[in-house]
Amino acid sequence: MAEFDVVVIGAGPGGYVAAIRCAQLGLSTACVDDWKNAQGKPSLGGTCLNVGCIPSKALLESSENYERVTRDFAAHGIVASGVQFDVAKMLARKDKIVSDFTLGIAQLFKKNKVTQLHGRAQLMGRDGELWRIGIVNDEEVRAQHVIIATGSTPRALPQAPFDGVRIVDNSGALSFSEVPRRLAIIGAGVIGLELGSVWRRLGAEVTLLEALPVFIPTADEQVAKEALRAFTKQGLKIHLGVQIEGVKNGDAVNIAWRDAQGVAQELVADKLVVAVGRVPNTQGLGAESVGLKLDAAGRIEVDEHCRTNLQNVYAVGDVVRGPMLAHKASEEGVMVAELIAGQAGHCDLNLVPGILYTSPEIAWVGKTEQQLKAAGVAYRAGQFPFMANGRARALGETTGFVKILADAKTDCILGVHIIGAMASELIQQAVLALAFSASSEDLARTIHAHPSLSEIMHEAALAVDKRALHI
Ligand code: FAD
Ligand code: NAD
């Protein structure tokens, strides 16, 4: 029976990164994963690579390119006529990016001497100092340490069970072979907005039905307001405060719902995407039989170092508390590997940036204005619009702003909120600033290249002290 220092269960961004880091630190490591691709072949990378972050960004890019050509190029004096798109080619491009990266992880495992195992894994109990891990259709393995990184799966709605054809989850919404004429989405969260944007850009009539009365509640209120305005203007029909009454799946999907005023409504769609959050993957893990503690939401309970209640068993990523994000999962994976190797790993959940890859993009890190108000923290805010930035004007990307929130007394940056082009890239200097407890003055005294979108960050930092230069 094979024996390892560490067995990692799950090869998503939490698990495969943890496995590589363990191996780099000299620990004998195996990573067991049960994902199979559409061809029934093992495919590393978990949700993120197979049906999440990467394929969604591939389609966002393709569809945005199409929209740029058809909507924006005329302003540059570029006349494009007869422009067409080919959904099959877009999907093939997306699939090629995914399979290249999947193979890339297998190569990284080889290079780092991580043993790759395929199958569903289960904790079987202890044998002295070692954990026994059973793998369906494979041998049992043993390990000193176990890292659980089993991720999450889409939450189903009892009224609208997935059939994989008309009522689909994120996987289905990343693979429509043609553009649905009428696309309904239940849940105006991150998946709903990103994938809704993809298909709207390609011509679908997209309606989002959201239960909460507030739009993107995790974002800064002012950003969310600007986003709602921008997305509505683009043609996304977004209904908030909605209650789904019933869904009929036939030749079309008929959704009976009540609007925020309680008025009965009906929506007929060719496809329905249900994107109402995700549930942690703990079924079949053997949690109950080995006494692994779960929290009230069904996630594996962990401390700040991702230690579970069981000795030498850790859990990271979507299967534990905190935002369900790939970079958070990876960072926790690295932390745990370093702790197992006797080093001092840490992962600060306050420094996890959140991003929506819509157009405009939305990105934030740290506290929102509403959180600071609720906590009674005195702060100063500095804001600068994309419209007043030369690079943004040249790009034709003038929607949005950067807002920096700094402690009123210490000037320490507490939160940064961006809506606008390349927010996903701009946010990184804010993450760095928060990680090093920088003040808004530190950012304001840093030289920013001209002309660049990063100057908007600079001006917002200056604006905290009411000394923005270009507005
Ligand atoms: P996962 O990636 O879910 O991987 C878990 C792996 O474990 C899977 O391969 C699973 O099959 C396997 N597994 C489960 N149980 C077992 C078992 N018992 N035995 C063996 N293997 C098992 N996040 C971002 O940060 N940025 C984005 O842009 C982004 N876009 C997204 C877009 C979509 C459409 C979706 C659905 C998600 C997106 N996410 C994004 C979220 C991101 O995908 C997840 O946060 C991330 O994948 C979590 O990583 P993980 O390693 O915890 O789990
Ligand atoms: P989400 O939590 O972002 O959004 C789900 C939405 O569905 C919420 O707004 C919720 O109020 C709504 N909802 C729940 N029940 C409902 C009901 N019965 N009727 C109508 N609305 C209902 O979750 P998601 O969009 O499914 O995404 C899942 C996870 O994947 C998220 O946690 C996110 O972090 C991650 N993700 C991240 C990215 C990114 O980082 N860019 C992209 C996609 C997904």
Side-chain angles (χ1 to χ4, degrees):
M1 192 179 302
E3 227 178 87
F4 299 92
D5 292 326
V6 185
V7 165
V8 182
I9 304 177
Y16 85 75
V17 168
I20 290 173
R21 187 69 188 125
C22 283
Q24 282 179 343
L25 291 165
L27 300 161
S28 66
T29 307
C31 184
V32 49
D33 186 85
D34 67 350
W35 197 286
K36 281 188 184 162
N37 63 17
Q39 290 73 45
K41 297 237 169 78
S43 184
L44 299 172
T47 303
C48 167
L49 187 43
N50 289 287
V51 292
C53 324
I54 301 301
S56 59
K57 270 75 241 179
L59 290 186
L60 278 159
E61 199 57 39
S62 296
S63 58
E64 194 166 4
N65 277 340
Y66 174 70
E67 190 157 79
R68 282 196 190 112
V69 177
T70 51
R71 187 194 60 190
D72 303 336
F73 275 20
H76 292 263
I78 300 169
V79 183
S81 60
V83 179
Q84 291 177 351
F85 61 82
D86 180 339
V87 175
K89 267 200 178 155
M90 281 184 189
L91 297 185
R93 174 182 178 272
K94 170 208 70 159
D95 292 341
K96 168 92 169 60
I97 295 169
V98 169
S99 62
D100 283 355
F101 273 111
T102 289
L103 294 174
I105 297 175
Q107 275 161 8
L108 288 173
F109 275 2
K110 249 191 212 143
K111 181 183 151 204
N112 287 284
K113 301 194 173 44
V114 173
T115 302
Q116 184 189 334
L117 301 169
H118 181 76
R120 197 155 182 85
Q122 182 181 356
L123 284 175
M124 309 287 285
R126 285 188 76 116
D127 183 2
E129 286 294 291
L130 300 178
W131 278 101
R132 293 169 46 217
I133 299 114
I135 303 169
V136 174
N137 297 327
D138 208 336
E139 57 165 345
E140 189 177 306
V141 293
R142 292 174 187 221
Q144 290 274 352
H145 305 267
V146 177
I147 303 175
I148 302 171
T150 48
S152 63
T153 36
R155 187 159 82 80
L157 269 189
Q159 309 97 306
F162 298 119
D163 69 358
V165 180
R166 241 179 243 292
I167 304 183
V168 300
D169 60 12
N170 52 290
S171 305
L174 287 163
S175 313
F176 292 143
S177 55
E178 55 189 47
V179 179
R181 191 167 68 78
R182 301 159 299 180
L183 176 64
I185 303 179
I186 302 185
V190 199
I191 293 179
L193 290 167
E194 288 189 358
L195 296 184
S197 296
V198 166
W199 296 108
R200 180 206 56 75
R201 290 168 188 163
L202 299 178
E205 191 181 293
V206 179
T207 307
L208 293 114
L209 301 175
E210 165 60 46
L212 290 177
V214 185
F215 188 54
I216 327 179
T218 40
D220 189 87
E221 264 171 22
Q222 198 187 345
V223 167
K225 233 185 228 170
E226 178 90 1
L228 185 57
R229 204 173 18 241
F231 299 154
T232 304
K233 197 168 151 205
Q234 288 164 9
L236 288 180
K237 293 187 183 137
I238 302 170
H239 299 278
L240 303 175
V242 157
Q243 199 182 333
I244 305 296
E245 303 258 281
V247 177
K248 272 198 206 128
N249 186 0
D251 290 340
V253 188
N254 282 63
I255 305 155
W257 56 284
R258 278 190 194 275
D259 65 20
Q261 286 70 44
V263 179
Q265 306 278 358
E266 192 180 300
L267 178 67
V268 182
D270 302 297
K271 299 276 183 192
L272 168 63
V273 178
V274 177
V276 293
R278 299 177 62 84
V279 288
N281 283 334
T282 56
Q283 314 90 310
L285 242 190
E288 230 172 70
S289 61
V290 296
L292 179 66
K293 212 167 157 191
L294 307 185
D295 66 18
R299 299 167 298 203
I300 296 174
E301 198 168 286
V302 289
D303 66 10
E304 76 275 19
H305 286 127
C306 290
R307 280 186 287 241
T308 70
N309 66 311
L310 301 177
Q311 199 187 358
N312 293 348
V313 177
Y314 298 80
V316 302
D318 280 12
V319 79
V320 304
R321 84 284 174 268
M324 286 183 163
L325 295 172
H327 40 286
K328 176 263 193 185
S330 297
E331 206 48 40
E332 286 180 336
V334 168
M335 168 182 74
V336 166
E338 293 180 348
L339 289 170
I340 290 173
Q343 299 186 353
H346 87 292
C347 175
D348 185 346
L349 292 184
N350 191 42
L351 295 182
V352 179
I355 296 161
L356 270 76
Y357 293 82
T358 44
S359 178
E361 291 186 347
I362 296 168
W364 68 84
V365 64
K367 304 291 181 212
T368 60
E369 232 176 314
Q370 60 267 29
Q371 283 171 332
L372 293 178
K373 278 183 190 146
V377 177
Y379 64 91
R380 294 191 302 167
Q383 195 168 314
F384 195 82
F386 275 63
M387 182 60 110
N389 172 270
R391 187 79 198 280
R393 290 291 284 269
L395 288 166
E397 297 282 2
T398 51
T399 304
F401 57 85
V402 171
K403 178 159 79 176
I404 296 181
L405 307 171
D407 188 284
K409 238 195 208 154
T410 64
D411 193 34
C412 197
I413 298 175
L414 303 173
V416 176
H417 304 274
I418 309 173
I419 176 165
M422 290 293 168
S424 55
E425 301 294 335
L426 292 176
I427 197 65
Q428 210 48 46
Q429 64 167 305
V431 179
L432 205 58
L434 261 76
F436 286 88
S437 305
S439 62
S440 78
E441 186 179 350
D442 288 330
L443 202 52
R445 289 191 181 280
T446 306
I447 298 172
H448 286 71
H450 175 76
S452 68
L453 295 179
S454 65
E455 287 174 293
I456 307 171
M457 298 284 287
H458 186 224
E459 289 277 7
L462 287 166
V464 172
D465 200 33
K466 301 200 174 7
R467 58 191 187 97
L469 293 163
H470 292 91
I471 201 154

